[in-house]
Amino acid sequence: MSAKHHRVGDGPVIRRILIGLAVVLTALFLFMPLVVIFTQALAQGWAGYIGNILDEYTLHAIGLTLFVALLTVPLNTVFGVFLAWLVTRFSFPGRRLLATLIDIPFAVSPVVAGLLYLLLYGSNGWAGQWLGQYDVELMFAWPGIVMVTVFVTCPFVARELIPLMQQQGRDEEEAAVVLGASGWQLFRRVTLPNIRWALLYGVILTNARAVGEFGAVSVVSGSIRGETNTLPLHVELLYQDYNIVGAFTAASLLAGIALITLAVKTIVEWRQSRSEEF
Amino acid sequence: MADTDQSVRPRRAGVPVSRRVLPGFGLSLGVTLFFISLVLLLPISGLVIHTAGMGWEQFWFVVTDPRVVASFKVTVLAALAASLFNCVFGLLMAWVLVRYEFPGKRLLDAIMDLPFALPTAVAGITLATLFAESGWYGRVLAEFGIEVAYTPLGIVVAMAFTSVPFVVRTVQPVLEELPPEDEEAAVSLGASDWTVFRRILFPVLWPALVTGGGLSFARSLGEYGAVVFIAGNSPYVSEVISLMIFVRLEEYDFAAASAIASVVMGVSLLLLLAINVWQGRYLKRLHGGRG
């Protein structure tokens, strides 16, 4: 037995087999779909690609999707920071229950999420009937899309922040308070610099899910072309129209956002591991 | 500082107010409770009230409709198969990413999260295109007589794809923190890799594997976007339960939709609770009461 062979799987043969298997399976299962998206999108060349993006309905879907994200992401960021602050900086009865409640959107099927809002705010729901007296229609219009997107993406920021803030502890912040910092100073000067990378990733992830939500949005949107069609719904519509290139063109924009999300995650993790080393 | 002894052990968990040195308790509690009530609890209570109002007989009639029962079966079986696949694949990936150094490792690690970042509808049309009869994979598989797209197998593929990261990301940290002593001792005493893995590593890894598999199963149960494009959606054969809710909604049968939805949500919430309790327990054991 060689001195190098210390741990399980250190043998050169088993090592090569396992790495090879992992690389091949990942290439087939995760990498290939990306290749498909972009080759299909570019099947008619760059001119066709640009032409498909500049299609009136695609542009409208892009606009609506960005608008929804623009409303959802800040709202859920503020909520996520408050929740993380609450559960990591104070102990009170019900703290764990709160941390579990926030996971509900992860566990609930997106279609059920959409249904929840439709039942409450739709024309048969009590909130919907009450709002209907004032001619306010939330479902099958953009407010409904925003509402379900907020529901589906509300855990992400808190989920990124809670483990980090728990691990960092409250010593630095308590010191700042003793030294006379106000609440806002404390957050901006002490907390924010410590959590900014995790916060950034939480925001990016919230954004990725907000622009990509499909199931919940399709329940409450009504998918009216040029009105309540978000980009993922537009992908479905084009695909069902057998406009495969068009569908993959729209899909490639969403895949681009996904790739940016992964890049940010990698950078954030690298920064965090570096700051832990020093 | 007058009350330095506040950190002394024998204090009960019901914390006195004076201990809250940091500001913002009232504000963050207020914001959080308001948000959670409005966004989560109010709509959920709406579903509960709606379902409770329909009466037991009608509820049972709707939920035991043969087409609905078939879709429950398809969903549970496909989710089981998908999470089993992910347990094996996830364990392999976690192992390779933690134990070995090789070129491209960072890229491999990064792409593991793709299914979380990629919108489900995009995953759906992409997998359907790959596995369709004329697709890159479908063509090859057809030679062996295997049909994936528009069959229940397609549902498994879509569910497995969307829940890949769960097992990888729960097993990875456990593998990283594994102390090498026992393993090295066993190896140096001449035990085979397989024996050491089975007797020393697996007993430490399996709770994380169960957690990751459970999360993957829960996610698969509710999956909709990725599945509908590849499933074929023929009644009794390849309809998943989320689609069933959708079908009832399109028939304007709100009562049936909410009855089925409340079953799905009940199961998901129970699973979530079980996973949380289980995770809390094994984390405690892993960290010797520290966690």
Side-chain angles (χ1 to χ4, degrees):
Chain A
M1 184 159 6
S2 71
K4 277 180 192 162
H5 191 170
H6 280 319
R7 301 181 74 173
V8 173
D10 275 358
V13 178
I14 186 90
R15 192 188 121 93
R16 272 188 207 139
I17 291 175
L18 290 180
I19 294 177
L21 205 59
V23 169
V24 169
L25 283 176
T26 307
L28 288 176
F29 201 39
L30 298 179
F31 191 68
M32 211 47 139
L34 281 176
V35 176
V36 170
I37 295 170
F38 289 101
T39 48
Q40 293 276 359
L42 291 168
Q44 294 166 350
W46 280 100
Y49 183 73
I50 303 290
N52 273 324
I53 290 181
L54 294 180
D55 171 82
E56 180 195 347
Y57 293 126
T58 307
L59 280 182
H60 187 275
I62 295 172
L64 178 61
T65 301
L66 290 180
F67 174 71
V68 169
L70 210 64
L71 288 178
T72 307
V73 175
L75 199 65
N76 277 338
T77 305
V78 171
F79 162 70
V81 171
F82 271 117
L83 177 72
W85 181 258
L86 183 68
V87 302
T88 61
R89 293 301 178 254
F90 305 103
S91 32
F92 54 95
R95 196 174 67 101
R96 290 214 34 187
L97 180 70
L98 266 186
T100 307
L101 275 181
I102 191 61
D103 277 345
I104 288 178
F106 279 159
V108 167
S109 165
V111 176
V112 175
L115 178 76
L116 292 177
Y117 278 80
L118 193 59
L119 286 178
L120 186 59
Y121 295 101
S123 49
N124 293 322
W126 61 263
Q129 274 168 357
W130 181 74
L131 288 168
Q133 293 172 354
Y134 304 95
D135 279 329
V136 179
E137 283 267 11
L138 299 178
M139 293 298 111
F140 307 114
W142 67 264
I145 300 178
V146 173
M147 287 158 85
V148 294
T149 309
V150 168
F151 176 93
V152 172
T153 60
C154 71
F156 287 102
V157 170
R159 261 297 180 101
E160 288 305 313
L161 291 184
I162 288 172
L164 180 71
M165 287 173 71
Q166 212 135 39
Q167 185 201 337
Q168 284 174 344
R170 45 192 152 190
D171 299 351
E172 275 183 50
E173 281 140 356
E174 283 175 351
V177 169
V178 171
L179 291 173
S182 73
W184 175 242
Q185 279 176 326
L186 169 70
F187 178 73
R188 227 178 50 107
R189 301 271 187 80
V190 183
T191 310
L192 197 58
N194 280 336
I195 63 169
R196 60 185 169 179
W197 291 107
L199 183 63
L200 174 67
Y201 180 54
V203 168
I204 294 280
L205 204 54
T206 307
N207 179 65
R209 291 301 292 261
V211 299
E213 181 47 38
F214 176 72
V217 169
S218 61
V219 173
V220 300
S221 120
S223 299
I224 305 161
R225 214 180 281 230
E227 258 182 65
T228 59
N229 219 23
T230 63
L231 207 44
L233 295 179
H234 195 54
V235 169
E236 183 197 25
L237 211 73
L238 292 171
Y239 189 77
Q240 283 171 349
D241 285 351
Y242 297 103
N243 182 353
I244 304 298
V245 177
F248 276 101
T249 302
S252 73
L253 299 174
L254 293 165
I257 293 173
L259 289 177
I260 293 171
T261 308
L262 295 185
V264 171
K265 178 175 190 200
T266 309
I267 295 168
V268 166
E269 276 176 353
W270 177 68
R271 304 270 332 194
Q272 272 176 359
S273 67
R274 227 177 46 152
S275 68
E276 270 167 28
E277 275 167 31
F278 294 114
Chain B
M1 292 209 289
D3 25 85
T4 28
D5 67 345
Q6 65 192 193
S7 58
V8 169
R9 274 293 124 169
R11 275 256 169 161
R12 290 208 6 242
V15 181
V17 180
S18 65
R19 180 135 165 221
R20 287 183 188 129
V21 182
L22 295 174
F25 178 73
L27 180 65
S28 48
L29 185 69
V31 169
T32 304
L33 286 184
F34 177 72
F35 188 95
I36 287 185
S37 310
L38 196 68
V39 172
L40 298 180
L41 300 181
L42 184 68
I44 290 174
S45 63
L47 175 68
V48 173
I49 292 169
H50 206 271
T51 314
M54 69 189 289
W56 175 248
E57 245 168 71
Q58 201 199 345
F59 176 84
W60 190 248
F61 177 75
V62 167
V63 170
T64 55
D65 175 77
R67 191 168 154 198
V68 175
V69 172
S71 76
F72 270 122
K73 273 189 198 151
V74 168
T75 310
V76 170
L77 287 178
L80 262 181
S83 28
L84 278 178
F85 168 82
N86 272 331
C87 280
V88 178
F89 179 64
L91 180 60
L92 169 74
M93 291 314 302
W95 181 271
V96 167
L97 289 174
V98 171
R99 287 300 181 95
Y100 304 134
E101 291 299 327
F102 54 95
K105 179 172 147 170
R106 181 149 268 167
L107 184 69
L108 205 63
D109 197 3
I111 208 176
M112 276 301 116
D113 283 319
L114 178 72
F116 280 176
L118 196 69
T120 52
V122 175
I125 64 165
T126 309
L127 292 172
T129 304
L130 263 176
F131 283 97
E133 233 177 301
S134 56
W136 294 346
Y137 292 171
R139 232 177 300 167
V140 178
L141 290 169
E143 304 217 347
F144 300 95
I146 303 171
E147 268 183 82
V148 176
Y150 318 120
T151 70
L153 201 55
I155 301 177
V156 177
V157 169
M159 285 177 173
F161 179 86
T162 48
S163 55
V164 159
F166 285 114
V167 176
V168 186
R169 298 303 185 214
T170 43
V171 174
Q172 219 173 356
V174 179
L175 261 178
E176 263 161 12
E177 285 179 24
L178 210 63
E181 292 85 12
D182 289 356
E183 189 188 335
E184 283 175 359
V187 171
S188 68
L189 289 172
S192 75
D193 273 7
W194 174 239
T195 313
V196 181
F197 182 80
R198 210 164 38 97
R199 303 280 288 272
I200 294 177
L201 296 180
F202 194 71
V204 188
L205 291 180
W206 75 265
L209 211 52
V210 171
T211 307
L215 289 169
S216 161
F217 181 73
R219 166 77 201 253
S220 299
L221 280 187
E223 187 48 46
Y224 172 73
V227 169
V228 284
F229 291 100
I230 198 174
N233 307 324
S234 47
Y236 300 98
V237 180
S238 55
E239 274 182 332
V240 290
I241 195 68
S242 310
L243 177 71
M244 214 47 240
I245 298 172
F246 215 98
V247 169
R248 292 289 179 253
L249 268 180
E250 282 182 335
E251 293 164 352
Y252 296 102
D253 193 346
F254 285 87
S258 41
I260 303 168
S262 61
V263 174
V264 174
M265 199 173 70
V267 173
S268 321
L269 294 186
L270 279 179
L271 262 173
L272 176 70
L273 198 69
I275 293 170
N276 263 316
V277 170
W278 163 259
Q279 205 171 13
R281 260 199 209 162
Y282 101 79
L283 279 181
K284 225 176 232 171
R285 214 173 51 193
L286 203 68
H287 295 292
R290 194 153 50 86

